[in-house]
Coordinates of all heavy atoms in Angstrom, one line a residue:
F1 N -5.9 17.6 -14.3 CA -5.6 17.9 -12.9 C -5.7 19.3 -12.6 O -4.7 20.0 -12.5 CB -4.2 17.3 -12.6 CG -4.0 15.9 -12.8 CD1 -3.8 15.3 -14.0 CD2 -4.2 15.0 -11.7 CE1 -3.7 13.9 -14.2 CE2 -4.0 13.7 -11.9 CZ -3.8 13.1 -13.1
P2 N -6.9 19.9 -12.5 CA -7.1 21.3 -12.2 C -6.9 21.6 -10.7 O -7.0 20.6 -9.9 CB -8.5 21.6 -12.7 CG -9.2 20.3 -12.5 CD -8.2 19.2 -12.7
G3 N -6.7 22.8 -10.3 CA -6.7 23.2 -8.9 C -5.7 22.5 -8.1 O -4.5 22.3 -8.5
L4 N -6.1 22.1 -6.9 CA -5.2 21.4 -6.0 C -4.7 20.1 -6.5 O -3.5 19.7 -6.2 CB -5.9 21.2 -4.6 CG -5.1 20.6 -3.5 CD1 -3.9 21.6 -3.2 CD2 -5.9 20.4 -2.3
S5 N -5.5 19.4 -7.3 CA -5.0 18.1 -7.8 C -3.8 18.3 -8.8 O -3.2 17.3 -9.1 CB -6.2 17.4 -8.6 OG -6.6 18.2 -9.7
R6 N -3.5 19.5 -9.2 CA -2.4 19.7 -10.1 C -1.1 19.3 -9.4 O -0.1 18.9 -10.0 CB -2.3 21.2 -10.5 CG -1.2 21.6 -11.4 CD -1.4 23.0 -11.9 NE -0.2 23.4 -12.7 CZ 0.8 24.1 -12.2 NH1 0.7 24.5 -11.0 NH2 1.8 24.5 -13.0
Y7 N -1.1 19.4 -8.0 CA 0.1 19.0 -7.3 C 0.1 17.6 -6.9 O 1.0 17.1 -6.1 CB 0.2 19.9 -6.0 CG 0.3 21.4 -6.3 CD1 -0.8 22.2 -6.5 CD2 1.6 21.9 -6.5 CE1 -0.6 23.5 -6.8 CE2 1.8 23.2 -6.8 CZ 0.6 24.1 -6.9 OH 0.8 25.4 -7.2
A8 N -0.8 16.8 -7.4 CA -0.9 15.4 -7.1 C -0.9 14.5 -8.3 O -1.5 13.5 -8.4 CB -2.1 15.1 -6.2
Q9 N -0.1 14.9 -9.3 CA -0.1 14.3 -10.6 C 0.9 13.1 -10.6 O 2.1 13.2 -10.8 CB 0.3 15.2 -11.7 CG -0.6 16.5 -11.8 CD -0.1 17.3 -13.0 OE1 -0.2 16.9 -14.1 NE2 0.3 18.6 -12.6
M10 N 0.4 11.9 -10.3 CA 1.2 10.7 -10.4 C 0.8 10.0 -11.7 O -0.3 10.0 -12.2 CB 0.8 9.7 -9.2 CG 1.4 10.1 -7.9 SD 1.1 8.7 -6.8 CE 1.8 9.4 -5.3
A11 N 1.8 9.4 -12.3 CA 1.6 8.6 -13.5 C 0.8 7.4 -13.1 O 0.8 7.0 -12.0 CB 2.9 8.3 -14.2
V12 N 0.1 6.8 -14.1 CA -0.7 5.6 -13.8 C 0.2 4.5 -13.3 O -0.1 3.9 -12.2 CB -1.4 5.1 -15.1 CG1 -2.2 3.8 -14.8 CG2 -2.3 6.2 -15.7
H13 N 1.4 4.2 -13.9 CA 2.2 3.1 -13.4 C 2.9 3.5 -12.1 O 3.4 2.6 -11.4 CB 3.2 2.7 -14.5 CG 3.8 3.7 -15.3 ND1 3.3 5.0 -15.4 CD2 5.0 3.8 -16.1 CE1 4.1 5.7 -16.3 NE2 5.1 5.0 -16.6
T14 N 3.0 4.8 -11.8 CA 3.6 5.2 -10.5 C 2.6 4.8 -9.4 O 3.0 4.3 -8.4 CB 3.8 6.7 -10.5 OG1 4.7 7.1 -11.5 CG2 4.3 7.2 -9.1
T15 N 1.3 5.1 -9.6 CA 0.3 4.7 -8.5 C 0.3 3.2 -8.3 O 0.3 2.7 -7.2 CB -1.1 5.1 -8.9 OG1 -1.5 4.5 -10.1 CG2 -1.1 6.6 -9.1
V16 N 0.4 2.4 -9.4 CA 0.4 0.9 -9.3 C 1.7 0.5 -8.5 O 1.6 -0.4 -7.7 CB 0.4 0.3 -10.7 CG1 0.5 -1.2 -10.6 CG2 -0.9 0.6 -11.4
C17 N 2.8 1.1 -8.8 CA 4.1 0.6 -8.2 C 4.0 1.0 -6.7 O 4.5 0.2 -5.8 CB 5.3 1.3 -8.8 SG 5.7 0.7 -10.4
F18 N 3.5 2.1 -6.3 CA 3.4 2.5 -4.9 C 2.5 1.5 -4.2 O 2.7 1.1 -3.0 CB 2.9 3.9 -4.7 CG 4.0 4.9 -4.8 CD1 3.8 6.1 -5.5 CD2 5.1 4.8 -4.1 CE1 4.8 7.0 -5.6 CE2 6.2 5.7 -4.1 CZ 6.0 6.9 -4.9
L19 N 1.3 1.1 -4.8 CA 0.4 0.2 -4.2 C 1.1 -1.2 -4.0 O 0.9 -1.8 -3.0 CB -0.9 0.1 -5.0 CG -1.8 1.3 -5.0 CD1 -3.0 1.1 -6.0 CD2 -2.3 1.6 -3.6
L20 N 1.9 -1.6 -5.0 CA 2.6 -2.9 -4.9 C 3.6 -2.8 -3.8 O 3.8 -3.8 -3.0 CB 3.3 -3.2 -6.2 CG 2.3 -3.6 -7.4 CD1 3.1 -3.8 -8.7 CD2 1.6 -4.9 -7.1
L21 N 4.4 -1.7 -3.7 CA 5.3 -1.6 -2.6 C 4.7 -1.6 -1.2 O 5.2 -2.3 -0.3 CB 6.1 -0.3 -2.8 CG 7.3 -0.2 -3.8 CD1 7.8 1.2 -3.9 CD2 8.3 -1.2 -3.4
S22 N 3.5 -0.9 -1.1 CA 2.9 -0.9 0.2 C 2.4 -2.3 0.6 O 2.6 -2.8 1.7 CB 1.7 0.1 0.2 OG 2.1 1.4 -0.1
V23 N 1.8 -3.0 -0.4 CA 1.4 -4.4 -0.1 C 2.6 -5.3 0.2 O 2.5 -6.2 1.1 CB 0.6 -4.9 -1.3 CG1 0.3 -6.4 -1.2 CG2 -0.7 -4.2 -1.5
G24 N 3.7 -5.1 -0.5 CA 4.9 -5.9 -0.3 C 5.4 -5.7 1.1 O 5.9 -6.6 1.7
V25 N 5.4 -4.5 1.7 CA 5.8 -4.2 3.0 C 5.0 -5.0 4.0 O 5.5 -5.7 5.0 CB 5.8 -2.7 3.4 CG1 6.0 -2.5 4.9 CG2 6.8 -2.0 2.6
F26 N 3.7 -5.1 3.8 CA 2.8 -5.8 4.7 C 3.1 -7.3 4.6 O 3.2 -8.0 5.6 CB 1.3 -5.6 4.3 CG 0.8 -4.3 4.9 CD1 0.7 -3.1 4.2 CD2 0.3 -4.3 6.2 CE1 0.2 -2.0 4.8 CE2 -0.2 -3.2 6.8 CZ -0.3 -2.0 6.1
F27 N 3.2 -7.8 3.3 CA 3.5 -9.3 3.1 C 4.8 -9.7 3.6 O 5.0 -10.9 3.9 CB 3.3 -9.6 1.6 CG 1.9 -9.6 1.2 CD1 1.5 -9.8 -0.2 CD2 0.8 -9.3 2.0 CE1 0.2 -9.8 -0.6 CE2 -0.5 -9.3 1.6 CZ -0.8 -9.5 0.3
A28 N 5.8 -8.8 3.7 CA 7.2 -9.1 4.1 C 7.2 -9.6 5.5 O 8.0 -10.4 5.9 CB 8.1 -8.0 3.9
R29 N 6.3 -9.1 6.4 CA 6.2 -9.5 7.8 C 4.7 -9.8 8.1 O 4.0 -9.1 8.8 CB 6.7 -8.3 8.7 CG 8.2 -7.9 8.5 CD 9.1 -9.1 8.8 NE 10.5 -8.7 8.7 CZ 11.2 -8.8 7.6 NH1 10.7 -9.4 6.5 NH2 12.5 -8.4 7.6
P30 N 4.2 -11.0 7.6 CA 2.8 -11.3 7.7 C 2.4 -11.7 9.1 O 1.2 -11.9 9.4 CB 2.6 -12.4 6.7 CG 4.0 -13.1 6.7 CD 5.0 -12.0 6.9
D31 N 3.3 -11.9 10.0 CA 3.0 -12.3 11.4 C 3.0 -11.2 12.4 O 3.1 -11.4 13.6 CB 3.9 -13.5 11.8 CG 5.4 -13.1 11.7 OD1 5.7 -12.0 11.1 OD2 6.2 -13.8 12.3
R32 N 3.0 -9.9 11.9 CA 3.1 -8.8 12.8 C 1.9 -7.8 12.6 O 1.4 -7.7 11.4 CB 4.4 -8.1 12.6 CG 5.6 -8.9 12.9 CD 6.9 -8.2 12.6 NE 8.1 -9.0 12.8 CZ 9.3 -8.6 12.5 NH1 9.5 -7.4 12.0 NH2 10.3 -9.4 12.8
G33 N 1.6 -7.0 13.6 CA 0.7 -5.9 13.4 C -0.6 -6.2 12.8 O -1.3 -7.2 13.2
F34 N -1.0 -5.4 11.8 CA -2.3 -5.6 11.1 C -2.4 -7.0 10.5 O -3.4 -7.7 10.5 CB -2.5 -4.6 10.0 CG -2.5 -3.2 10.5 CD1 -2.1 -2.1 9.7 CD2 -3.0 -2.9 11.8 CE1 -2.1 -0.8 10.2 CE2 -3.0 -1.6 12.2 CZ -2.5 -0.6 11.4
M35 N -1.3 -7.5 9.9 CA -1.3 -8.7 9.1 C -1.5 -9.9 10.1 O -2.0 -11.0 9.6 CB 0.0 -8.9 8.4 CG 0.2 -7.9 7.2 SD -1.1 -8.1 6.0 CE -0.8 -9.8 5.4
R36 N -1.2 -9.8 11.3 CA -1.3 -10.9 12.2 C -2.8 -11.3 12.4 O -3.1 -12.5 12.5 CB -0.7 -10.6 13.6 CG -0.7 -11.7 14.6 CD 0.0 -11.3 15.9 NE 0.1 -12.5 16.8 CZ -0.9 -12.8 17.6 NH1 -2.0 -12.1 17.6 NH2 -0.8 -13.8 18.4
V37 N -3.7 -10.3 12.3 CA -5.1 -10.6 12.4 C -5.6 -11.4 11.1 O -6.3 -12.4 11.2 CB -5.9 -9.3 12.4 CG1 -7.4 -9.6 12.4 CG2 -5.6 -8.5 13.7
I38 N -5.0 -11.1 10.0 CA -5.4 -11.7 8.7 C -4.8 -13.1 8.6 O -5.5 -14.0 8.2 CB -4.9 -10.8 7.5 CG1 -5.6 -9.5 7.6 CG2 -5.3 -11.5 6.2 CD1 -5.1 -8.5 6.5
T39 N -3.6 -13.3 9.0 CA -3.0 -14.6 8.9 C -3.3 -15.6 10.0 O -2.8 -16.7 10.0 CB -1.4 -14.5 8.8 OG1 -0.9 -13.8 9.9 CG2 -1.1 -13.6 7.5
H40 N -4.0 -15.1 11.1 CA -4.3 -15.9 12.2 C -5.1 -17.1 11.8 O -6.0 -17.0 10.9 CB -5.0 -15.1 13.3 CG -5.1 -15.8 14.6 ND1 -6.1 -16.6 15.0 CD2 -4.2 -15.8 15.7 CE1 -5.9 -17.1 16.2 NE2 -4.7 -16.6 16.6
S41 N -4.9 -18.2 12.4 CA -5.6 -19.5 11.9 C -6.9 -19.6 12.6 O -7.7 -20.6 12.2 CB -4.7 -20.7 12.3 OG -4.4 -20.7 13.7
G42 N -7.3 -18.7 13.5 CA -8.6 -18.8 14.2 C -9.7 -18.2 13.4 O -9.6 -17.9 12.2
L43 N -10.9 -18.1 14.0 CA -12.1 -17.5 13.4 C -11.9 -16.1 12.8 O -12.3 -15.8 11.7 CB -13.3 -17.6 14.4 CG -14.6 -17.0 13.9 CD1 -15.1 -17.8 12.7 CD2 -15.6 -17.0 15.0

């Protein structure tokens, strides 16, 4: 992690946990916002 990336050192399992949390927030309310487009029963 040279240069600027030195300040962005996340552990491997840290990145995975953050991605899981972000996905979990979307899935917790699947009938709202962005998720409403995905869960809609139409075309």
Side-chain angles (χ1 to χ4, degrees):
F1 295 84
L4 184 62
S5 63
R6 180 170 176 263
Y7 296 90
Q9 302 182 61
M10 283 189 185
V12 178
H13 39 341
T14 299
T15 63
V16 174
C17 286
F18 274 135
L19 291 175
L20 288 175
L21 279 176
S22 301
V23 172
V25 171
F26 278 96
F27 286 179
R29 299 295 184 268
D31 54 347
R32 300 176 181 174
F34 300 149
M35 290 300 298
R36 187 175 182 276
V37 178
I38 299 174
T39 59
H40 194 269
S41 57
L43 178 61

